[in-house]
């Protein structure tokens, strides 16, 4: 019996490497992997539906899913996760604390980016700075002319303007024409080296650790999506994808824990792994729904409150029905 040919777009991560190097196989599938950066992958997936299976922006997926016109159904494989306290930059010559951002201008590459949803949630929940308290200035981080990949209808009271032509938000931050910067990437160019530009939080790691202790939230950035038409034609496929991606992540963690010769070009890996497991549990980067409910519920709540999803989508509706529980031995 021939296997199902699938195009699969994902990032180049340690947690997916066993898939695209062939060490882990997807049951019943003959895959063609494309290793792409998030901007290209998400643009092609949502604009042109280029891939059978694709890593997806969690926020973009929820925008489309809530309105009933998403070509993909998600699987609870969370290929990108990050505490987004490091996504917040400020002109430190005028912004001393998060509350100082009220009434100011913050540059963003796109309003609906998942990292920005989480960063706005942090500002609102912990510091009382709400989306309507600032002016959002949208533009490319390093290239002028970037636009939202998905059309949005922002709620009343939220103000967003575009950067001037041929200008980036990094340029505006460097010149002091905006007061803050919110993005999953650092500022580019002169802004990166400007002594008056820096992280909003002096020690974002310490703040993030406190955030996790209080909330049990480890922010999810990306989910895995499979075409709805394929999932309908092959009901076994979502479960097979969840199984294979979970096996690939387990293989990556086994290698990370093998410190006889570290697999990562970074010192203190053994210490960081030990600290992460002590603070967040052995399976600190878990897939599946049950172990991620606080994170999923917080994201869907904030996403709707920020005016991005047309309705508040319950967690029970986010993923393919066959992926909410798996077999045990």
């Amino acid at each position: 019996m021939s296997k199902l040919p699938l195009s699969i777009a994902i990032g180049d991560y340690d947690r997916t490497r066993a898939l695209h190097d062939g060490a882990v196989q997807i049951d019943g599938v003959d895959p063609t992997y494309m290793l792409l950066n998030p901007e290209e992958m998400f643009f092609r997936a949502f604009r042109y539906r280029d891939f059978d299976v694709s890593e997806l922006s969690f926020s973009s997926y929820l925008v489309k899913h809530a309105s009933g016109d998403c070509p993909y159904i998600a699987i609870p494989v969370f290929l990108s996760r990050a505490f987004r306290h490091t996504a917040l930059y400020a002109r430190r010559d005028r912004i001393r604390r998060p509350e100082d951002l009220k009434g100011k201008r913050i540059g963003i590459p796109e309003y609906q980016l998942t990292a920005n949803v989480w960063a706005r949630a942090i500002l609102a929940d912990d510091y009382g700075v709400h989306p309507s308290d600032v002016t959002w200035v949208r533009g490319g981080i390093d290239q002028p002319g970037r636009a939202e990949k998905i059309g949005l209808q922002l709620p009343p009271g939220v103000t967003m303007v575009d950067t001037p032509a041929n200008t980036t938000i990094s340029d505006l931050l460097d010149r002091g024409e905006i007061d803050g910067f919110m993005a999953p990437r650092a500022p580019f160019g002169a802004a990166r080296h400007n002594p008056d530009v820096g992280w909003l939080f002096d020690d974002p790691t310490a703040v993030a650790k406190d955030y996790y202790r209080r909330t049990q939230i480890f922010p999810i950035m990306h989910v895995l999506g499979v075409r709805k038409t394929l999932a309908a034609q092959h009901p076994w496929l979502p479960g097979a994808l969840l199984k294979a991606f979970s096996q690939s992540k387990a293989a990556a963690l086994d290698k990370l824990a093998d410190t006889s010769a570290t697999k990562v070009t970074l010192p203190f890996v053994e210490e960081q792994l030990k600290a992460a497991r002590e603070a967040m549990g052995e399976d600190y980067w878990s897939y599946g729904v049950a172990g991620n409910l606080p994170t999923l519920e917080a994201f869907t709540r904030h996403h709707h409150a920020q005016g991005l999803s047309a309705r508040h989508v319950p967690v029970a509706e986010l993923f393919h029905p066959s992926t909410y529980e798996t077999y045990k031995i």
Side-chain angles (χ1 to χ4, degrees):
M1 182 182 295
S2 61
K3 293 185 175 183
L4 178 66
L6 291 182
S7 58
I8 301 178
I10 51 176
D12 185 7
Y13 311 120
D14 64 342
R15 48 200 171 274
T16 58
R17 199 151 297 140
L19 288 162
H20 54 80
D21 71 12
V24 170
Q25 298 291 317
I26 304 170
D27 295 340
V29 168
D30 178 16
T32 297
Y33 291 103
M34 286 164 275
L35 305 183
L36 305 173
N37 68 45
E39 289 87 350
E40 178 182 357
M41 188 160 44
F42 302 161
F43 180 84
R44 291 174 62 183
F46 286 110
R47 284 287 182 92
Y48 303 112
R49 308 182 182 190
D50 274 356
F51 317 111
D52 297 320
V53 176
S54 182
E55 184 175 347
L56 301 174
S57 156
F58 193 9
S59 176
S60 298
Y61 170 73
L62 194 49
V63 170
K64 301 289 281 183
H65 182 76
S67 61
D69 65 346
C70 187
Y72 298 95
I73 184 66
I75 296 166
V77 167
F78 308 126
L79 292 173
S80 177
R81 307 183 74 147
F83 291 99
R84 286 308 189 183
H85 297 77
T86 54
L88 290 157
Y89 288 77
R91 289 286 308 203
R92 298 302 300 271
D93 51 345
R94 67 188 76 152
I95 304 297
R96 305 296 183 185
R97 58 196 186 114
E99 293 86 346
D100 294 340
L101 289 170
K102 287 188 175 182
K104 301 299 193 297
R105 290 159 53 88
I106 299 178
I108 53 172
E110 292 183 48
Y111 191 84
Q112 63 86 38
L113 292 181
T114 309
N116 290 351
V117 176
W118 281 115
R120 285 191 296 267
I122 291 165
L123 290 177
D125 282 352
D126 288 351
Y127 305 100
V129 181
H130 299 279
S132 58
D133 292 331
V134 304
T135 296
W136 303 97
V137 182
R138 181 181 61 196
I141 300 174
D142 189 40
Q143 296 175 300
R146 179 171 174 173
E148 295 279 350
K149 71 175 66 69
I150 292 178
L152 300 175
Q153 184 66 48
L154 296 182
V158 175
T159 302
M160 184 163 64
V161 298
D162 290 332
T163 56
N166 301 316
T167 303
T168 68
I169 52 175
S170 296
D171 295 334
L172 297 181
L173 186 67
D174 179 53
R175 298 198 296 258
E177 296 176 28
I178 56 176
D179 308 281
F181 175 99
M182 180 187 288
R185 296 183 185 273
F188 276 80
R192 179 175 288 179
H193 306 289
N194 187 320
D196 291 326
V197 173
W199 276 328
L200 175 63
F201 298 102
D202 291 328
D203 188 345
T205 301
V207 178
K209 288 180 177 178
D210 174 69
Y211 174 81
Y212 181 79
R213 282 193 296 268
R214 290 185 290 106
T215 65
Q216 297 300 294
I217 292 171
F218 180 18
I220 292 166
M221 299 295 128
H222 304 167
V223 297
L224 189 68
V226 57
R227 286 183 190 271
K228 287 180 177 177
T229 52
L230 281 170
Q233 292 168 3
H234 308 283
W236 51 268
L237 180 57
L241 289 166
L242 176 58
K243 174 186 173 182
F245 274 81
S246 298
Q247 289 175 338
S248 182
K249 176 172 69 77
L253 289 172
D254 286 344
K255 289 184 177 181
L256 189 65
D258 178 7
T259 55
S260 60
T262 183
K263 310 303 183 291
V264 181
T265 313
L266 192 70
F268 310 117
V269 172
E270 186 174 2
E271 297 89 334
Q272 291 287 356
L273 180 60
K274 181 175 181 288
R277 284 178 163 159
E278 287 176 349
M280 303 172 66
E282 193 70 15
D283 189 16
Y284 57 88
W285 196 299
S286 62
Y287 292 169
V289 174
N292 289 286
L293 277 176
T295 300
L296 294 167
E297 289 172 347
F299 188 77
T300 56
R301 174 171 54 86
H302 276 285
H303 197 268
H304 180 60
Q306 292 178 22
L308 294 170
S309 40
R311 57 190 177 87
H312 184 193
V313 178
V315 173
E317 187 193 311
L318 281 175
F319 304 103
H320 190 275
S322 69
T323 61
Y324 280 82
E325 54 183 1
T326 59
Y327 73 92
K328 295 182 180 180
I329 298 174

